[in-house]
Amino acid sequence: MKTKTLILLISSFNIFLTTKIHSQEILEEPIANQRESIGLFFWDGMAKVNIGGEYGFIDRQGYLQIPCKYDMVTNFQDGLAIVRDNDKYTFIRKDGSLLTPLIFDSCEPFYDGYALISYQGKFGFIDREGKIIIQPRHDFAMGFSNGLGLVGHDGLNGYVNVSGKLVIDYQYEFSLPFSEGYALFMRDGKFGYINTKGKEIISPKFELASSFHEGLASVRINNVSGIINKKGKFVIKPTYQNVRNFKDGVAVMMQSGKFGLINNKGLEIIPPRYDLLSDFEDGIAVFKIHNKYGFVNSKGEEFISPTFDKASVFEQGMASVTLNGKFHYIDLQGNIVYTSPYSPNHEDESNIILAKIDKKRGYIEGKEKIIVTLDESFTPARVVLLINSNEYIISNAGTLTAK
């Protein structure tokens, strides 16, 4: 479907540049060796764990709150996480109860109080109580925002309200969900914007465009990119190869194949000098220069010098890096706080594992560090957690008891 293809190209506005202009924009993140027993971070006070190839959740005290019985889980967000079992999806609460039966073919996280679901090839929406508010009857859909959900029929997009009523007719060959009261759409190969009434506010004239963030949108015209406001006027003239979305008043830009940082007035905080620059999260980004990775803040200060072979962005004060063939976690001061005994395997995607059954040890990195060991006389009933110097055993039933 044309709509799905274009979403992959446009939705972040940066995928275009990855595939068409500069392939090095892709961040090469470290991936732990498959044998490494590593869980990553706590979200909503819960961390994913994997025991015997199935996932569950522990709390910050290390207690197994949700038994490991799902073949896929997402992190918790606002009290709910997505789980999958036998290729069927639903949401789970922190007490382990399911929001709905495991019946959906796919689920997306909640936005504006509603979640996109699919069933037998059609798309609909549920609320946070698990009630289906819009029956799965649409060929295509994306999340709710500004009280409207994007839906597709016969290759054209329109928008429904929370009652399922079509309030903006199927007419767009491509469009995105509303953001800050405006939705990006395409007509005859050009991009423009509508408001929540369906009125064209900015006529379709751009070669490429992004959704509005912080009152600004990145657009491309005559093969160069600049920034417009909600009146469609340029506040930063189109002179760049690309400008990403603004966040906290700054945006990553690209010029002559190099990346830098500008503020919302168009002033260059970091001139275009990096081979790669990630988006800034909490004022921090990872950069690549001369084939090495380091970290820079939104003031342009390189607070961790480029010494690593690969690096990820910081989450909860931790970032994964590789150096001289070793996988590490570092803190915000650049200190190595954990080193894996194994060599990284960058082709292996099974990196979020807590208690893999192979008599190894690993960590959960959050505000607390929990060391996981497997008893030397290991049987499936003898997974041992070392929590604050106290040992606990996880049984086959998924219960945690003091050793």
Side-chain angles (χ1 to χ4, degrees):
M1 181 184 291
K2 181 184 291 186
T3 298
K4 291 184 179 179
T5 302
L6 284 168
I7 284 170
L8 293 175
L9 180 69
I10 308 291
S11 60
S12 70
F13 186 57
N14 303 317
I15 304 300
F16 174 85
L17 291 158
T18 300
T19 57
K20 296 292 186 182
I21 297 178
H22 201 261
S23 61
Q24 288 184 343
E25 189 175 358
I26 299 173
L27 178 65
E28 298 178 89
E29 295 193 8
I31 296 177
N33 186 280
Q34 183 177 11
R35 293 178 295 166
E36 181 63 73
S37 298
I38 294 181
L40 293 182
F41 303 103
F42 285 90
W43 299 93
D44 256 8
M46 305 282 274
K48 294 186 289 187
V49 295
N50 180 315
I51 300 175
E54 295 186 317
Y55 288 89
F57 293 88
I58 62 171
D59 61 20
R60 287 193 178 278
Q61 287 69 49
Y63 289 99
L64 194 64
Q65 295 292 346
I66 297 176
C68 295
K69 61 180 181 180
Y70 300 103
D71 54 33
M72 189 284 294
V73 299
T74 66
N75 292 315
F76 269 91
Q77 180 180 340
D78 297 326
L80 293 170
I82 298 172
V83 295
R84 182 185 71 199
D85 188 31
N86 293 323
D87 291 326
K88 295 298 180 183
Y89 295 78
T90 190
F91 292 85
I92 194 168
R93 303 180 182 94
K94 293 169 75 173
D95 64 3
S97 63
L98 297 180
L99 188 65
T100 72
L102 280 154
I103 58 174
F104 299 120
D105 299 324
S106 67
C107 293
E108 296 292 334
F110 279 88
Y111 292 101
D112 278 12
Y114 305 100
L116 175 67
I117 55 90
S118 69
Y119 180 73
Q120 295 183 347
K122 298 292 184 178
F123 294 85
F125 296 88
I126 63 172
D127 63 18
R128 294 186 65 86
E129 301 302 317
K131 179 183 177 181
I132 295 178
I133 61 159
I134 298 176
Q135 292 293 326
R137 61 176 180 268
H138 299 285
D139 299 336
F140 172 77
M142 295 181 72
F144 260 84
S145 60
N146 298 154
L148 296 174
L150 187 158
V151 292
H153 178 69
D154 288 341
L156 295 176
N157 288 350
Y159 296 85
V160 296
N161 62 20
V162 295
S163 299
K165 180 182 178 181
L166 189 69
V167 294
I168 300 177
D169 199 12
Y170 301 113
Q171 58 186 293
Y172 306 110
E173 53 190 294
F174 169 83
S175 65
L176 288 179
F178 279 88
S179 176
E180 300 183 1
Y182 289 70
L184 177 70
F185 74 94
M186 183 175 74
R187 179 179 294 129
D188 298 327
K190 298 292 184 180
F191 293 89
Y193 298 86
I194 59 172
N195 64 15
T196 54
K197 303 297 184 183
K199 181 181 178 181
E200 287 188 13
I201 303 300
I202 301 173
S203 60
K205 57 187 174 183
F206 303 112
E207 300 158 7
L208 202 63
S210 75
S211 297
F212 275 93
H213 297 272
E214 300 183 358
L216 302 171
S218 179
V219 298
R220 185 182 180 96
I221 192 167
N222 297 326
N223 210 35
V224 286
S225 297
I227 300 297
I228 61 170
N229 61 21
K230 289 186 175 180
K231 295 180 179 180
K233 295 182 178 180
F234 279 99
V235 295
I236 298 176
K237 293 181 179 180
T239 57
Y240 296 101
Q241 282 179 269
N242 180 38
V243 184
R244 297 184 196 157
N245 292 326
F246 275 88
K247 184 175 182 179
D248 299 327
V250 297
V252 174
M253 55 75 172
M254 183 183 187
Q255 185 69 286
S256 301
K258 299 293 182 180
F259 295 89
L261 188 71
I262 58 173
N263 66 16
N264 52 20
K265 305 297 182 183
L267 297 177
E268 290 189 358
I269 300 171
I270 302 174
R273 63 170 179 255
Y274 295 126
D275 300 322
L276 181 149
L277 183 62
S278 73
D279 290 327
F280 281 74
E281 295 291 338
D282 298 324
I284 297 173
V286 57
F287 68 87
K288 182 180 181 181
I289 191 168
H290 305 312
N291 212 35
K292 292 292 182 180
Y293 288 81
F295 296 86
V296 63
N297 62 29
S298 56
K299 296 179 181 179
E301 300 165 339
E302 295 181 5
F303 65 97
I304 298 178
S305 60
T307 58
F308 303 107
D309 301 319
K310 293 183 185 294
S312 73
V313 296
F314 273 93
E315 283 190 275
Q316 300 181 14
M318 307 287 293
S320 59
V321 298
T322 56
L323 181 63
N324 299 325
K326 285 288 187 180
F327 179 94
H328 310 275
Y329 277 103
I330 61 171
D331 61 21
L332 287 165
Q333 287 71 49
N335 300 316
I336 293 175
V337 297
Y338 169 67
T339 299
S340 169
Y342 308 111
S343 298
N345 180 352
H346 299 292
E347 296 179 354
D348 176 28
E349 296 181 355
S350 302
N351 63 311
I352 305 177
I353 302 170
L354 176 61
K356 186 174 175 62
I357 302 174
D358 60 357
K359 301 182 181 178
K360 303 300 179 185
R361 62 191 297 146
Y363 298 80
I364 291 180
E365 301 293 351
K367 290 187 177 180
E368 297 88 8
K369 179 179 291 185
I370 300 173
I371 300 177
V372 179
T373 64
L374 299 186
D375 191 278
E376 289 302 318
S377 60
F378 175 77
T379 68
R382 295 283 294 174
V383 179
V384 179
L385 297 183
L386 180 63
I387 305 169
N388 299 326
S389 300
N390 298 314
E391 292 186 343
Y392 298 85
I393 298 172
I394 299 178
S395 71
N396 279 333
T399 58
L400 192 72
T401 57
K403 185 176 179 182

